[in-house]
């Protein structure tokens, strides 16, 4: 779309000829359609679709680029979208967003995971005390990876590790062309391999305790070396 807008600005600033404008716009649209069609043809099992089905896919899909360190997908921001993301180029990191409550007893930190039903409960209005948001790394996403198919994604956020290019395909199209339930089986596979929020929370607790232990050990060694 950026190339499309650039083409419009270029023509509008250089000429007022409507026919020339139409030609440039048509060329820009055709270039984008070709880029999407090439992306569709490079993704299995989309590449196995018939020619008419691939053309339909290209017309309804889009190729989107993301700069390094930018947000590719956020379950809150993208919840109203209905697209699956196929990573074409670059690498992403998938993180789990957690809300945790921190308490300290006898100099040691303890954490409690706050779930959605806890936040919505009227009997837990004090949960905002000592509450923090943490992010736990789940997995790396490379070319060939897919997400946003309908897998479990509450609290998930995807960050571009490098510059990233993704093919966005409407879920409605995938549901229409779901031979051998390939997408349903992919969702089951993603749910089976991606850690749950509870598993990510346990990882966070272990990492936090390990960091505390290393700090305590370093402090003890420093004190012993002091004259």
């Amino acid at each position: 779309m950026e190339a499309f807008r650039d083409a419009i600005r270029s023509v509008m600033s250089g000429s007022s000829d409507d026919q020339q404008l139409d030609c440039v716009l048509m060329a820009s649209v055709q270039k984008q359609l070709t880029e999407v069609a090439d992306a569709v043809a490079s993704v299995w099992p989309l590449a196995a679709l018939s020619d008419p089905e691939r053309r339909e896919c290209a017309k309804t899909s889009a190729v989107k680029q993301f700069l390094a360190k930018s947000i590719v997908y956020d379950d809150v921001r993208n919840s109203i979208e209905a697209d699956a993301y196929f990573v074409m180029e670059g690498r992403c990191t998938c993180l789990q967003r957690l809300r945790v409550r921190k308490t300290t007893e006898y100099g040691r930190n303890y954490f409690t995971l706050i779930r959605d039903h806890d936040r919505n409960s009227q009997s837990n209005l004090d949960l905002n005390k000592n509450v923090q948001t943490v992010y736990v790394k789940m997995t790396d996403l490379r070319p060939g990876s897919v997400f946003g198919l309908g897998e479990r994604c509450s609290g998930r956020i995807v960050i571009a590790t490098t510059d990233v290019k993704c093919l966005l395909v409407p879920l409605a199209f995938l549901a229409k062309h779901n031979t051998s339930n390939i997408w349903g089986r992919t969702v089951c596979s993603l749910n089976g391999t991606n850690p749950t929020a509870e598993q990510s929370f346990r990882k966070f607790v272990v990492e936090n305790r390990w960091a505390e232990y290393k700090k305590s050990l370093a402090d003890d060694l420093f004190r012993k070396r002091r004259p």
Side-chain angles (χ1 to χ4, degrees):
M1 293 302 296
E2 187 61 32
F4 184 79
R5 288 191 291 269
D6 289 344
I8 294 178
R9 285 193 290 265
S10 176
V11 173
M12 292 297 291
S13 62
S15 173
S16 59
D17 184 75
D18 291 340
Q19 184 176 6
Q20 183 181 358
L21 175 61
D22 290 341
C23 291
V24 172
L25 294 181
M26 290 179 62
S28 179
V29 170
Q30 184 59 48
K31 180 179 178 181
Q32 293 178 57
L33 288 175
T34 300
E35 181 183 22
V36 176
D38 290 343
V40 170
S42 68
V43 174
W44 189 90
L46 297 179
L49 295 172
S50 66
D51 289 343
E53 291 170 339
R54 286 202 304 274
R55 285 195 294 270
E56 178 187 355
C57 184
K59 289 179 181 179
T60 58
S61 302
V63 170
K64 192 170 183 180
Q65 299 190 20
F66 303 87
L67 296 177
K69 299 183 179 179
S70 65
I71 297 176
V72 177
Y73 180 89
D74 185 326
D75 78 305
V76 175
R77 187 188 67 184
N78 299 87
S79 61
I80 60 174
E81 294 184 2
D83 295 318
Y85 287 64
F86 295 85
V87 181
M88 307 296 299
E89 298 177 6
R91 294 180 60 179
C92 311
T93 297
C94 184
L95 305 172
Q96 176 70 58
R97 181 195 298 110
L98 301 174
R99 294 275 288 170
V100 299
R101 187 180 187 185
K102 176 182 176 181
T103 57
T104 304
E105 296 181 13
Y106 304 106
R108 185 172 184 180
N109 295 326
Y110 295 89
F111 298 92
T112 303
L113 176 63
I114 300 177
R115 298 174 176 81
D116 290 337
H117 63 81
D118 292 329
R119 293 200 295 268
N120 296 330
S121 174
Q122 293 297 319
S123 61
N124 287 282
L125 295 179
D126 63 335
L127 279 176
N128 286 328
K129 298 178 181 178
N130 302 318
V131 169
Q132 63 189 70
T133 301
V134 299
Y135 295 88
V136 180
K137 180 179 178 179
M138 293 174 52
T139 185
D140 289 320
L141 301 172
R142 298 177 173 82
S145 300
V146 59
F147 59 91
L149 275 172
E151 71 275 14
R152 183 176 55 241
C153 63
S154 178
R156 303 285 168 84
I157 182 170
V158 177
I159 304 291
T161 308
T162 65
D163 290 350
V164 170
K165 180 186 291 186
C166 291
L167 171 66
L168 278 62
V169 181
L171 294 177
F173 176 86
L174 298 180
K176 179 180 177 182
H177 304 278
N178 193 19
T179 305
S180 301
N181 193 31
I182 180 63
W183 305 119
R185 291 188 285 115
T186 303
V187 168
C188 290
S189 177
L190 292 174
N191 285 336
T193 55
N194 290 335
T196 64
E198 289 74 15
Q199 290 170 332
S200 294
F201 173 68
R202 289 196 290 270
K203 178 182 178 181
F204 163 76
V205 171
V206 169
E207 291 177 346
N208 187 270
R209 289 179 178 173
W210 175 239
E212 288 183 342
Y213 172 75
K214 289 192 294 183
K215 182 179 183 303
S216 175
L217 184 61
D219 290 344
D220 288 343
L221 292 174
F222 179 75
R223 283 193 295 268
K224 290 177 180 179
R225 291 181 178 180
R226 293 180 62 182

